[in-house]
Amino acid sequence: MPQPLQLKWLLVGLLALSSLMGCQSKANVSSLTQNACEQGEDFVWVKAGDYILGSDRIERDNAYRISAAASAHRPEDISKAEKNLRRQGWFDSEPDREVRSQPAVCMGKHLITNADYQTFVKATGHRSPHISAAEYQRQGFLVHPYQTVRPYLWQGQNYPSGEGQHPVVLVSYEDAQAYAQWRGQRDGQTYRLPSATEWEQTARGTDGRYFPWGNDWQDNATNWAKQGGLHTSAIATYPLSRSPDGIEDMAGNVFEYTSTFTQRLLQKATVMKGCSWDDLPGFCRAAYRHSRPLGSRHILFGFRLVKE
């Protein structure tokens, strides 16, 4: 049985973990009305109701199958590809499927673009989206060589030529928060990042579909590893990746930061939703979740806002 001092520190640890992981899971109830939400057409009202969240064994097994089929070079390689994916357990830690009553949320219709973010950078002097080769190496989750990062690097306060309507990347969770605060002050509104649950309810709609367009994978539906040229695409390029309520890019293009926290290798991390331009089909399901430390900057990560 724990001694009093041990019990004290056990309780402190549990409270800290609860604060880290639980405070962000509570429903965010806004007093905003639908009319106020949709004024200006940059945000969309996602109604309150019962939503299917998480995944079950059937959905996860399907995710492994479609990802293996997409990654295998030959039909005879599919079985081996699926075994490798299962060995890594990519989809095994998703929350269990459940029906949950969710409040309404006023979700940003679009990802924040390079042009949006440039306005913020010029107004505030905040750092531009950039990362040095050394910083990139220190992050430890390279995925791509630094050479692949170079086309996304801003030059001073200027984004890559011709990519004003592409989602901004190479920004951290803290950068996204700073943008939300600045834009709120500019617009006289309150903005924040969506929670993981709000993001998922938006992407799935009231029928709990796996993808914004339905339960069956479609190769041309979004920007993923075999569609889109292995680069970000302009927002709203893929109509099928539009949510049932009309919110764009709810699968593919870039992963999105959320306000939900977890732990990753003893570091505080943000849960990320969606999938990116280099992903396989199973990762593009609304139930899938990913996590990265709050200071991460990568060419696969972007964000959108919620209005309160």
Side-chain angles (χ1 to χ4, degrees):
M1 184 173 181
Q3 297 300 309
L5 187 58
Q6 293 174 313
L7 184 59
K8 171 187 174 183
W9 289 112
L10 177 62
L11 289 172
V12 169
L14 289 172
L15 285 171
L17 185 61
S18 174
S19 174
L20 177 65
M21 301 184 71
C23 67
Q24 296 292 324
S25 64
K26 296 177 182 177
N28 292 290
V29 180
S30 172
S31 59
L32 201 67
T33 65
Q34 182 171 356
N35 285 341
C37 167
E38 296 183 338
Q39 184 176 4
E41 300 183 353
D42 290 333
F43 289 81
V44 175
W45 185 256
V46 180
K47 66 182 180 181
D50 291 338
Y51 288 86
I52 296 173
L53 305 172
S55 63
D56 55 17
R57 188 73 265 166
I58 293 173
E59 180 177 344
R60 294 168 200 162
D61 286 344
N62 181 66
Y64 283 117
R65 284 194 296 271
I66 60 177
S67 297
S71 64
H73 296 294
R74 302 174 302 173
E76 55 266 34
D77 295 333
I78 293 176
S79 178
K80 182 180 179 181
E82 183 173 341
K83 287 179 181 178
N84 288 336
L85 287 165
R86 288 183 181 274
R87 190 177 300 118
Q88 296 175 75
W90 284 110
F91 311 127
D92 295 345
S93 61
E94 293 171 9
D96 289 335
R97 183 182 175 96
E98 65 172 328
V99 177
R100 187 184 302 178
S101 179
Q102 286 293 114
V105 59
C106 181
M107 186 68 69
K109 185 174 183 179
H110 297 293
L111 291 157
I112 300 303
T113 65
N114 283 319
D116 294 329
Y117 203 80
Q118 184 186 54
T119 303
F120 160 62
V121 168
K122 288 186 173 181
T124 65
H126 192 88
R127 69 178 180 187
S128 297
H130 197 279
I131 192 168
S132 69
E135 290 172 319
Y136 185 67
Q137 292 284 338
R138 281 197 297 269
Q139 286 189 146
F141 47 91
L142 302 183
V143 184
H144 301 281
Y146 189 70
Q147 190 63 31
T148 308
V149 177
R150 292 185 184 279
Y152 296 90
L153 300 176
W154 287 35
Q155 302 302 316
Q157 295 183 334
N158 297 315
Y159 51 77
S161 178
E163 298 197 354
Q165 292 306 299
H166 286 229
V168 66
V169 295
L170 291 176
V171 292
S172 68
Y173 175 91
E174 291 96 340
D175 292 330
Q177 292 280 60
Y179 174 86
Q181 183 176 8
W182 165 81
R183 182 164 163 178
Q185 292 172 346
R186 185 195 71 176
D187 296 352
Q189 298 282 349
T190 299
Y191 300 117
R192 59 174 175 81
L193 296 176
S195 71
T197 300
E198 289 170 332
W199 194 99
E200 186 173 344
Q201 95 184 60
T202 299
R204 301 188 78 156
T206 54
D207 58 2
R209 57 190 64 185
Y210 294 173
F211 306 101
W213 56 86
N215 283 353
D216 296 325
W217 176 253
Q218 297 187 43
D219 283 352
N220 65 345
T222 192
N223 183 357
W224 65 292
K226 292 188 176 181
Q227 174 77 39
L230 292 177
H231 194 84
T232 57
S233 52
I235 57 172
T237 297
Y238 294 89
L240 289 176
S241 67
R242 185 181 300 143
S243 80
D245 291 303
I247 297 160
E248 305 286 352
D249 293 295
M250 293 303 284
N253 214 352
V254 290
F255 273 110
E256 300 182 35
Y257 289 118
T258 75
S259 62
T260 301
F261 296 150
T262 185
Q263 279 192 306
R264 180 185 175 88
L265 303 176
L266 302 180
Q267 287 184 287
K268 189 175 182 179
T270 173
V271 172
M272 308 190 78
K273 298 292 285 183
C275 70
S276 66
W277 48 260
D278 73 342
D279 274 315
L280 295 173
F283 297 88
C284 295
R285 294 171 302 112
Y288 179 68
R289 54 174 56 198
H290 189 46
S291 67
R292 284 292 182 242
L294 303 187
S296 302
R297 283 174 282 159
H298 205 281
I299 56 178
L300 307 179
F301 306 164
F303 70 101
R304 75 179 70 229
L305 299 179
V306 160
K307 183 197 292 187
E308 289 191 318

